[in-house]
Amino acid sequence: MAKNWLKYNKWTSFYLLWVCGITIVFSFFVLDLDDRHDLIVYNTLFVILLTCFCLLIKGKIGGIVLVLFSVFALVPAFIEAGWFLIDKSVLIRTQFWVIFDTNPAEARGFLSMIQLWQWALLFCYMIICCSLLVLACRERKKKETCCNHSKTISFIGCLLSMSLVLIPGVRYNVPCINFYNSYRGYYADVQRARNFMLSRQDLSGQVMNNFQDSVATVVVIIGESLNKNHCSLYGYCRQTTPLLDKREDIRIYRNVESPSFMTQEVLQQVLTFANRANPEARWNSPTLPELLNAAGWHTYWFDPFEGKNNTANSQPTGFSSIAKLCTTYHLCDDSEQFDGALLCHLDTILDDTSSSRKAIFFHLIGNHFPYESRYPQNFNFFSSNDICSAFVNQLSSKQKCVINAYDDAVRYNDWVIDSVLNRLCRVQHSCAMLYFSDHGEEIYDYDFYAGRSFNHITRSLYEIPCIFWQNKVYEKSNPLYIDCSVDYCTEDMIHSLLDLFAVSYVQQDTCHSLFRKNSP
């Protein structure tokens, strides 16, 4: 009996375990996974039930079931395997949602970090998957007669499969279910965002502009992936911000943190009244560009170089759909590969006298991986082994090159910010600038990896630089409270930005402004 079972079912069992049991195996190798127990339990339950279901259906029907299952399961399994090889973590919960909302350029940057041996392992994994599937289908055909109750079993199996989807633990922990469940949530948000963009209201009369001067320029620079602990401005041992270090006209906020380490999440909160406690405000409140437009500011938004056919066609769930509500929206192209190209746009705007009040937003590509692609060759500066890392004795030469490239990108970012300030210093009317990064990046500081990880959370992912500058005219026209030691999270940044532009709106909470004395 056991011999017959093994003869007709061994390859099917191996195949299902290889495809669906991968998460169980991976979870044992992740040291800091809090819900490892749930992950193992739900995935084991899923593998057992799926295997029993497939083994009960014999013959050609069983082969068809295996093929249909493979169509839906192999893509999530491939992504799960790739993610583990790169990040040494397991994709859980809504992390698949992030994959759907990642733009092509960011995806290319992420894929560029995959090494050749990792691609080779992924290729081998898929070859084994396909080989086991072929063997399992052949195994199904060997049994000429189907089970007498195959239709009944198929119907029960379908009901069982549907019931599995209804179990939250299975829905969020089994990759081949979580993948499509996350996509369903993502698609619903896309439709919701489209309706949101189509139902914009006229805010005239609801917004008050309190700025005293009729002519003003305010620049907001949003950095990318800059960890403040890699800035000499914040005590880093390398001179990564030599130009800003010398400036005496800037105010340096020491304790500012990001609410997330994903750009989309952070900027949606910066540009709307949404925060972690009230994410629904993303859909039912006006956005920052709309408020500024209604207050009489001419708003400009410049997005970084992302390659062709990227954020221009992005889904409306991203922050770019909000940014496009600005009066002028510019998506940088191939000729503007580095952030320094934005300086020409700044010069043009400053020389333009057609607009009296200008709100300029520069979203930099900053320190986004791959780091070596974020600065011109003449900014190659760090090439020695004077690495500032707790893991300095464990780092390979390649890993040291990663740190050097990141620090070079920080040094180039320093030049860009300093160049903006030098231009603004020549402006005679009210002028101010606020710089902060969207989130940080782990660079072998608190954990032995470079980048960002869902399951390897460190302080580096959240600790960001924040710099403020104002000229004397602005300081007199719009006096702000400055306390550089205040603890602040950028999820409340919209309240600070409204103060920066001297705009009042009913939903504004002055208790959460960086420029108010009662800021938390």
Side-chain angles (χ1 to χ4, degrees), residues 356-375:
S356 56
R357 289 174 177 163
K358 304 169 184 176
I360 308 168
F361 293 87
F362 287 134
H363 177 217
L364 307 182
I365 196 155
N367 293 70
H368 196 288
F369 49 75
Y371 312 127
E372 65 276 5
S373 301
R374 301 309 170 211
Y375 53 89

Side-chain angles (χ1 to χ4, degrees), residues 209-211 216-221 253 288 292 297 358-361 430-436 467-470 474-475 477-482 493-504 508 513-516:
N209 190 344
N210 302 314
F211 211 95
T217 299
V218 177
V219 179
V220 178
I221 305 178
Y253 287 88
L288 179 63
L292 297 181
W297 289 84
K358 304 169 184 176
I360 308 168
F361 293 87
S430 292
C431 189
M433 186 213 75
L434 179 67
Y435 168 83
F436 60 94
I467 301 168
F468 177 66
W469 172 90
Q470 61 182 341
Y474 178 93
E475 186 176 6
S477 301
N478 187 32
L480 300 174
Y481 176 78
I482 305 295
M493 185 57 78
I494 189 172
H495 306 287
S496 301
L497 293 175
L498 289 175
D499 275 343
L500 185 65
F501 291 99
V503 172
S504 297
Q508 182 182 9
S513 171
L514 190 63
F515 302 115
R516 300 277 183 154

Side-chain angles (χ1 to χ4, degrees), residues 300 302 342-353 358:
Y300 303 81
F302 293 85
L342 296 174
L343 297 174
C344 295
H345 294 292
L346 179 61
D347 291 335
T348 301
I349 296 172
L350 293 178
D351 292 337
D352 184 12
T353 58
K358 304 169 184 176

